[in-house]
Amino acid sequence: MKNTLKCTACLVLFCASFSVKAQNDVGLFINDMLKVADDFASPAAEAATFQSGAGWFTTAKSLDLWQVEISVHGNALFVPEDKRTVAISNDNYQTFHIQGATAADIPTGFGGTTDVIFEGQIQFLGQTEDFTFDAIDGIDKKMVAHPFIQASVGLPYHTDLSVRFLPETTIDDISVSTYAVGLKHNFNQYFNFSRPTDFQFAALIAYSKFDVLYEYDPIELERIVKLHDIEVDADLWLFQLLSSKSFDNSGWEFLAAVGVTNSNFNYTMGGSGVALAPLNNALGTLDNNEKEFKGDLGINYNFSDFTISSALSVGKFYNLNLGLHFRL
């Protein structure tokens, strides 16, 4: 009887420890995939929020009361080399490793293609699963274009309301959409004897919603998970102080601004399998809140009811914004 009890106890402990081991293996795999997702998507998320803060203004002046301005913008963001690749080593992962190497450089979302392959082993439902998958290829872009339309209206108290949008657009397996709203308030109304050709001063606050969906070749672990895309949902708050100066009868106007952005972005992996929900839950716990300073320098040319604008934003990236504006 005692021997039977001992055998039964040993069997229970073995089964329990095996179950915990299997659960731990899946948990460790999820942690490893968090690293893969963060390395790949973080530079693209940072760039998306940086672009969302560009091109909000062409001047510190306010529009006339109820005057409407329609603008067509194009952003060109230049990607530094250190944002195109990320260095990894086998020490970064617990359930898989780099095939045939101990370290490698793999693409971020902006990088090119790669021949890096991961291989590993995981315990699941009483079986040992061997697996391999390719590192995710990037879009191979050193410059990222981002067009959008913006409309502004002059409100009371020398305040402008601006809204912008880019309906969902797909380029090279990447779907992008943008929606945003901003308020600009001119301070020269509080100065005595201020003229339109004097230096103008204003403040801007804006909120942007930016969504990026990237599809890649599926990563599949049989019976555990299949992954085929990653979505970055970004929220950006921007506060800027700006100044501009126009010159009598020349049509030329110069502008400068300094600002701070507060961005928060969330990742979601698309796919199927028992590990997908825990993986996305874990992605939701990543701290992806960032504050950054940025500066802008620009020059405009005004003629009739039109303005051609250009502005360079400088910060973690460089972004060139070109715009054509028509005042009704």
Side-chain angles (χ1 to χ4, degrees):
M1 180 67 177
K2 289 182 179 179
N3 290 334
T4 303
L5 289 175
K6 286 181 180 179
C7 291
T8 302
C10 289
L11 181 61
V12 170
L13 289 173
F14 174 79
C15 292
S17 64
F18 190 89
S19 176
V20 170
K21 172 68 168 58
Q23 292 174 2
N24 287 343
D25 275 2
V26 174
L28 292 175
F29 172 77
I30 288 172
N31 290 337
D32 288 343
M33 290 307 298
L34 293 182
K35 169 70 174 168
V36 172
D38 197 40
D39 284 344
F40 180 81
S42 283
E46 293 169 359
T49 56
F50 192 84
Q51 278 196 324
S52 294
W56 275 107
F57 62 90
T58 59
T59 176
K61 297 177 183 176
S62 60
L63 295 170
D64 294 336
L65 184 62
W66 308 126
Q67 185 178 28
V68 174
E69 181 181 77
I70 305 297
S71 307
V72 178
H73 288 265
N75 278 327
L77 181 134
F78 302 95
V79 183
E81 283 301 317
D82 63 355
K83 298 292 185 182
R84 287 171 42 83
T85 60
V86 59
I88 61 169
S89 73
N90 287 334
D91 293 338
N92 297 137
Y93 313 107
Q94 300 180 74
T95 58
F96 51 79
H97 57 268
I98 306 163
Q99 190 178 75
T102 59
D105 291 333
I106 59 173
T108 69
F110 293 126
T113 59
T114 180
D115 57 2
V116 171
I117 298 174
F118 294 109
E119 61 182 4
Q121 189 178 83
I122 192 172
Q123 292 286 344
F124 185 69
L125 296 180
Q127 295 185 11
T128 299
E129 301 283 352
D130 295 315
F131 62 89
T132 63
F133 65 91
D134 296 336
I136 305 173
D137 292 332
I139 62 174
D140 197 16
K141 297 287 187 181
K142 295 183 178 180
M143 189 275 289
V144 180
H146 172 225
F148 61 90
I149 298 172
Q150 179 170 306
S152 303
V153 60
L155 302 179
Y157 307 107
H158 295 273
T159 298
D160 294 350
L161 171 67
S162 298
V163 294
R164 61 169 58 166
F165 71 97
L166 171 67
E168 185 172 305
T169 303
T170 302
I171 304 173
D172 296 331
D173 295 326
I174 299 179
S175 299
V176 181
S177 63
T178 305
Y179 304 92
V181 60
L183 283 172
K184 183 184 73 177
H185 185 71
N186 178 270
F187 293 141
N188 284 63
Q189 60 184 303
Y190 306 114
F191 305 155
N192 292 327
F193 311 113
S194 176
R195 299 175 302 169
T197 54
D198 291 341
F199 278 97
Q200 299 287 312
F201 301 93
L204 169 80
I205 186 170
Y207 168 76
S208 301
K209 183 77 170 178
F210 203 105
D211 190 81
V212 181
L213 179 67
Y214 177 78
E215 297 181 358
Y216 50 82
D217 292 335
I219 297 173
E220 185 172 4
L221 274 69
E222 189 176 353
R223 300 189 302 155
I224 299 174
V225 72
K226 182 178 181 180
L227 305 172
H228 51 65
D229 64 60
I230 183 168
E231 183 177 9
V232 181
D233 183 18
D235 297 278
L236 170 76
W237 285 96
L238 168 69
F239 178 75
Q240 279 189 311
L241 297 174
L242 51 138
S243 178
S244 63
K245 178 72 170 71
S246 59
F247 297 89
D248 289 329
N249 301 319
S250 70
W252 293 101
E253 184 175 21
F254 298 88
L255 57 98
V258 292
V260 60
T261 62
N262 182 31
S263 59
N264 183 70
F265 40 90
N266 299 299
Y267 306 141
T268 304
M269 304 288 278
S272 58
V274 296
L276 180 63
L279 175 57
N280 282 327
N281 289 338
L283 283 170
T285 65
L286 292 178
D287 182 11
N288 291 315
N289 186 274
E290 292 188 3
K291 292 182 176 62
E292 292 181 33
F293 291 95
K294 65 187 291 285
D296 296 87
L297 291 172
I299 184 170
N300 308 321
Y301 184 71
N302 301 289
F303 58 98
S304 183
D305 293 322
F306 291 88
T307 297
I308 298 174
S309 67
S310 62
L312 178 67
S313 299
V314 179
K316 191 174 284 189
F317 297 87
Y318 292 93
N319 186 84
L320 178 64
N321 178 273
L322 300 176
L324 177 63
H325 316 264
F326 176 65
R327 290 174 294 278
L328 302 179

